[in-house]
Amino acid sequence: MSAAPEPRTDAAPPKAAAPRSATRTLALALLSGAAGAGLALLASGRTWAEGSATLAQGELPSSVTGADVTGVPGALAIVGLAALVAVFAVRRAGRIAVAALLALSGLGTAVAAVLGRSDTSALKEKAALAVGLSGTDVHRVTHSGWPWVAAAGGLLLLVAGALALLHGRYWPAMSGRYERTPDGARGPRRAAAAPDLARPEEIWKSLDRGEDPTR
């Protein structure tokens, strides 16, 4: 008689792979978001355009910063930075909404920076204010590369928002010390059962609740 075939034992994929992947995407989103907001805010305070207004006595040089040209990149960078922090304070649908706001902030920052790159209206207004004559024109206008830096910051914010939308459901969230009881009042959070240290998913769940699994 031939030996009976051994039962098939397909090894299940390790459940700890998802938390490891979540850690990587979380770190990447944090770095991208923080760097993007920092670049956009830095670029908004730098000179974007320079020119000269012609006077009877000669030429009057003038320059404008990114904040003079458009305040949108700086404002949206602050919104994106706040949304990046808020991602960890909410769960489920709230996290999706905040992640979408983060992505839109990055997109808006990049678009506003690109549109303001060749804008000379702020430069003309500043020259007219310095000369005291409305309609003063500016000549020899040059544009710096700082608008592109702001646009790059916006793209980094967009990347952070996209990562939050795709992988945010696996990221940990801030755990509150208290939770609502069935009658609506706030009470102390009930102690959860001790996790099984031999199961990685139980350890991650306890960490997500803000508990020390080794206690």
Side-chain angles (χ1 to χ4, degrees), residues 61-115:
S62 180
S63 63
V64 289
T65 65
D68 296 327
V69 175
T70 172
V72 174
L76 287 181
I78 295 175
V79 172
L81 192 59
L84 181 64
V85 176
V87 164
F88 304 98
V90 293
R91 296 174 184 266
R92 300 183 181 89
R95 178 167 290 185
I96 294 175
V98 174
L101 176 61
L102 174 58
L104 290 176
S105 298
L107 179 61
T109 299
V111 171
V114 172
L115 292 178

Side-chain angles (χ1 to χ4, degrees), residues 178-188:
Y178 294 91
E179 65 179 2
R180 290 189 179 276
T181 56
D183 58 358
R186 287 189 176 273

Side-chain angles (χ1 to χ4, degrees), residues 170-215:
Y170 302 116
W171 297 350
M174 297 179 184
S175 58
R177 184 178 177 184
Y178 294 91
E179 65 179 2
R180 290 189 179 276
T181 56
D183 58 358
R186 287 189 176 273
R189 186 181 295 274
R190 291 173 296 178
D196 185 0
L197 298 181
R199 302 180 63 187
E201 66 273 19
E202 294 295 331
I203 298 176
W204 277 98
K205 288 179 181 179
S206 62
L207 290 174
D208 187 37
R209 294 193 297 267
E211 300 168 359
D212 185 359
T214 61
R215 293 183 60 185

Side-chain angles (χ1 to χ4, degrees), residues 11 17 36 44 57 74-75 86 104 107-108 121-123 136-138 150 163-165 167 183 190 198 209:
S44 295
Q57 297 83 1
L104 290 176
L107 179 61
S121 58
L123 193 60
T136 301
D137 199 5
V138 289
L163 288 172
L165 284 172
H167 305 281
D183 58 358
R190 291 173 296 178
R209 294 193 297 267

